[in-house]
Amino acid sequence: MNFDLTPEQDQLRDAVRALGRRYGHGYFVEKAKAGGHTTELWHEAGRLGYLGVNIPTEYGGGGGGITELAIVCEELAAAGCPLLLLVVSPAIAATVINKHGTDEQRKRHLPGLADGSQKIVFAITEPEAGSNFHRLGTVARRDGDDWLLSGRKCYISGVDEAGHVLVVARTEDAATGKLKPALFIVPTDAPGLTRSKLDMEILSPENQFLLYLDDVRVPADALVGESLDAGLPALFAGLNPERITVAAMGAGTGRYAIERASEYTATRKVWRGRSIGSHQAVAHPLAHAAVQVELARLMIHKAATLYDAGRDLEAGISGNMAKYAAGEAAALAVDTAVQALGGAGMTTEYGVATLLGAVRAGRIAPVSREMILNFVAQHVLGQDKSY
Ligand SMILES: Cc1cc2nc3c(=O)[nH]c(=O)nc-3n(C[C@H](O)[C@H](O)[C@H](O)COP(=O)(O)OP(=O)(O)OC[C@H]3O[C@@H](n4cnc5c(N)ncnc54)[C@H](O)[C@@H]3O)c2cc1C
């Protein structure tokens, strides 16, 4: 068992940390409040090769794995810049296209994802289907060589920043039967594709959208893979990277919050010259949160290692557990940090309450804590499926 990062991974972590700190949480909040995006940070991370660490070198990436991408996600979040689109574009979209796309799709899309000049977002969630993706209602119909896509998607992150969206649909002949999903790479400016921004109570420069697909016409080569049979494996290919990187983002956010609070409680004095951190009622909750974050980090490391070793089934279990643990730990850490900071905890200046919405959402998305518990109950504890 090895808990050490390789020297290259160590260097990556230090370099990403330095980049994240140069921008910092103030930058993230300023962009979010102004309705802007973290474009400068994204492009600089892209130029430095951090967005493509998991993409093969032949397409301009770093040739690493999800371990490396998780390091990028964690360190940017630990610097106060939790970028959800890292989970969507390099983790989900790049993995799906790399593993299940055609040669032509790899050549067309991966270089742009690797250098950050392109983003591809991911649309699976639908208003009627929710957590039950077997109920997906977005349908793909053949029309000559083309496909026509119709349906509705909700909570789709970053559509306004992306050139393409990876849409999960069901083919018409399977519309009433068992779900046979198909994935399509759809330009975000395709005729018939419209969006409306959702008002979310999350302070973030990244936005969520409702998407309406009204007979969106895409050519045959928009279908991910050589045939419809690629759909289900392609969809599953994105799940482990998604869970592991979103967990890493949660762990980084937890670290950030605990660090802010610990700096404050070590120096703030309101009783007889002693720091408030000397009171165990203040220090113990922070220490408890630090333990939870560190436990989550261990599970993230295990899940990423298993995934990069090609042990997908085991990575599925660890990845789900890591996502659950990190989601809970991040929410606990931010809430505990706010409490430890007192009134300062609720100010924008101290930069902790600004994360409350994001960490709360991390217990719901991209997969809810309940659906992970269902998965663990069924696949680890051998319980009957209850739903
Ligand atoms: C900030 C944010 C960003 C997002 N980004 C994207 C994106 O980019 N692309 C995308 O496709 N989607 C995205 N989503 C959607 C997200 O994946 C869904 O919100 C999530 O999967 C839950 O689905 P739902 O909201 O429809 O909840 P529902 O399915 O309606 O569930 C509601 C509640 O019931 C619980 N529940 C449902 N079924 C069961 C069951 N069988 N057993 C126990 N409990 C159950 C759930 O856990 C949840 O607490 C995003 C969501 C958020 C909040």
Side-chain angles (χ1 to χ4, degrees):
M1 209 177 283
N2 184 358
F3 296 103
D4 292 326
L5 297 178
T6 64
E8 293 75 24
Q9 290 167 345
D10 256 333
Q11 276 172 10
L12 174 68
R13 186 192 55 193
D14 294 346
V16 176
R17 180 180 297 167
L19 174 70
R21 286 188 175 170
R22 209 146 38 71
Y23 284 86
H25 191 58
Y27 163 81
F28 182 87
V29 169
E30 193 186 301
K31 290 288 178 187
K33 289 199 168 177
H37 299 305
T38 50
T39 313
E40 304 81 4
L41 172 55
W42 187 273
H43 285 314
E44 190 166 353
R47 272 198 306 279
L48 293 167
Y50 306 153
L51 303 179
V53 282
N54 60 319
I55 293 174
T57 48
E58 61 185 298
Y59 303 110
I66 288 300
T67 304
E68 282 75 14
L69 190 59
I71 290 172
V72 175
C73 293
E74 181 179 339
E75 290 309 321
L76 287 181
C81 299
L83 300 186
L84 183 58
L85 292 191
L86 286 172
V87 174
V88 176
S89 195
I92 302 178
T95 303
V96 166
I97 293 171
N98 184 38
K99 290 202 163 177
H100 295 281
T102 60
D103 273 350
E104 170 54 29
Q105 286 166 345
R106 278 191 279 272
K107 281 188 205 132
R108 196 183 317 155
H109 295 291
L110 292 181
L113 295 180
D115 68 16
S117 58
Q118 292 288 322
K119 293 186 189 109
I120 301 184
V121 294
F122 182 63
I124 182 167
T125 310
E126 295 184 1
E128 315 302 331
S131 304
N132 183 3
F133 80 88
H134 295 280
R135 288 189 60 194
L136 286 191
T138 298
V139 172
R141 284 185 286 125
R142 273 277 189 201
D143 187 44
D145 281 347
D146 296 342
W147 289 95
L148 291 174
L149 307 183
S150 291
R152 277 193 307 157
K153 299 283 179 185
C154 55
Y155 307 119
I156 309 309
S157 301
V159 190
D160 55 338
E161 298 184 58
H164 293 83
V165 52
L166 200 53
V167 173
V168 185
R170 60 165 76 229
T171 44
E172 190 180 33
D173 53 355
T176 47
K178 212 164 180 275
L179 175 65
K180 187 170 180 187
L183 275 66
F184 296 90
I185 308 172
V186 180
T188 48
D189 61 358
L193 180 69
T194 51
R195 61 177 187 248
S196 65
K197 185 170 166 290
L198 282 161
D199 283 332
M200 305 289 282
E201 295 300 329
I202 303 172
L203 186 61
S204 170
E206 297 163 322
N207 301 306
Q208 279 69 48
F209 292 86
L210 283 166
L211 275 191
Y212 308 92
L213 297 104
D214 185 10
D215 276 346
V216 175
R217 181 178 293 279
V218 288
D221 67 2
L223 176 74
V224 172
E226 301 288 353
S227 77
L228 284 173
D229 290 337
L232 198 58
L235 182 58
F236 280 124
L239 295 185
N240 283 336
E242 172 197 73
R243 284 164 181 43
I244 296 167
T245 52
V246 84
M249 213 173 87
T253 305
R255 279 174 48 204
Y256 165 84
I258 292 167
E259 201 178 307
R260 291 288 75 70
S262 306
E263 284 163 6
Y264 185 82
T265 57
T267 51
R268 168 106 171 135
K269 295 181 177 139
V270 290
W271 301 100
R272 283 179 278 136
R274 293 175 61 195
S275 68
I276 54 168
S278 67
H279 301 291
Q280 291 177 345
V282 176
H284 278 189
L286 284 174
H288 174 67
V291 171
Q292 302 309 308
V293 169
E294 197 55 29
L295 289 174
R297 293 184 73 232
L298 263 185
M299 191 51 101
I300 292 163
H301 188 58
K302 176 176 175 181
T305 303
L306 287 169
Y307 179 81
D308 287 336
R311 292 160 65 179
D312 285 353
L313 285 178
E314 294 158 277
I317 291 173
S318 304
N320 272 289
M321 288 185 171
K323 197 275 158 183
Y324 179 93
E328 299 301 304
L332 176 74
V334 171
D335 187 61
T336 305
V338 168
Q339 191 69 19
L341 277 129
M346 294 307 296
T347 64
T348 305
E349 181 189 349
Y350 282 84
V352 185
T354 40
L355 290 162
L356 281 169
V359 292
R360 191 63 193 79
R363 297 171 79 211
I364 298 166
V367 55
S368 72
R369 59 193 297 283
E370 291 77 19
M371 292 312 289
I372 295 181
L373 293 177
N374 283 335
F375 175 89
V376 173
Q378 194 186 336
H379 296 284
V380 180
L381 307 182
Q383 303 303 299
D384 285 339
K385 193 171 172 180
S386 66
Y387 54 96

